[in-house]
Amino acid sequence: IYIKGKIMDALTKDERIADHDIKVIVTDNHVLARGEVFTTDQKNAVDEVITRIAPEHEIKNQVNIRVLT
């Protein structure tokens, strides 16, 4: 729960991912991120934030890039 809180806080404060709809699930060995962002850079920033906070966890980034038409 502590790691999840740190990740969610960092995602909220990171200017690259300012407006996001991301859910995070943390298990013993994995961090799963799901949701939507607007750009590839935002999706990559999610990986960077999680890696910085939980480098020992395997990251599964299932965040989709929202396409506006």
Side-chain angles (χ1 to χ4, degrees), residues 3-31:
I3 292 174
K4 178 182 177 177
K6 285 182 72 173
I7 292 169
M8 292 304 297
D9 185 54
L11 290 173
T12 301
K13 292 179 179 176
D14 193 303
E15 294 177 5
R16 299 172 296 173
I17 322 166
D19 183 26
H20 66 80
D21 178 25
I22 300 171
K23 308 290 186 271
V24 175
I25 299 168
V26 178
T27 64
D28 291 340
N29 302 348
H30 298 88
V31 176

Side-chain angles (χ1 to χ4, degrees), residues 26-41:
V26 178
T27 64
D28 291 340
N29 302 348
H30 298 88
V31 176
L32 172 63
R34 288 185 175 160
E36 291 185 336
V37 294
F38 293 104
T39 68
T40 302
D41 289 338

Side-chain angles (χ1 to χ4, degrees), residues 7 29-33 43 46-62:
I7 292 169
N29 302 348
H30 298 88
V31 176
L32 172 63
K43 183 175 180 172
V46 170
D47 281 333
E48 291 175 24
V49 167
I50 294 171
T51 299
R52 184 177 72 240
I53 294 171
E56 67 284 354
H57 287 71
E58 180 182 334
I59 300 169
K60 294 183 179 181
N61 186 342
Q62 296 180 355

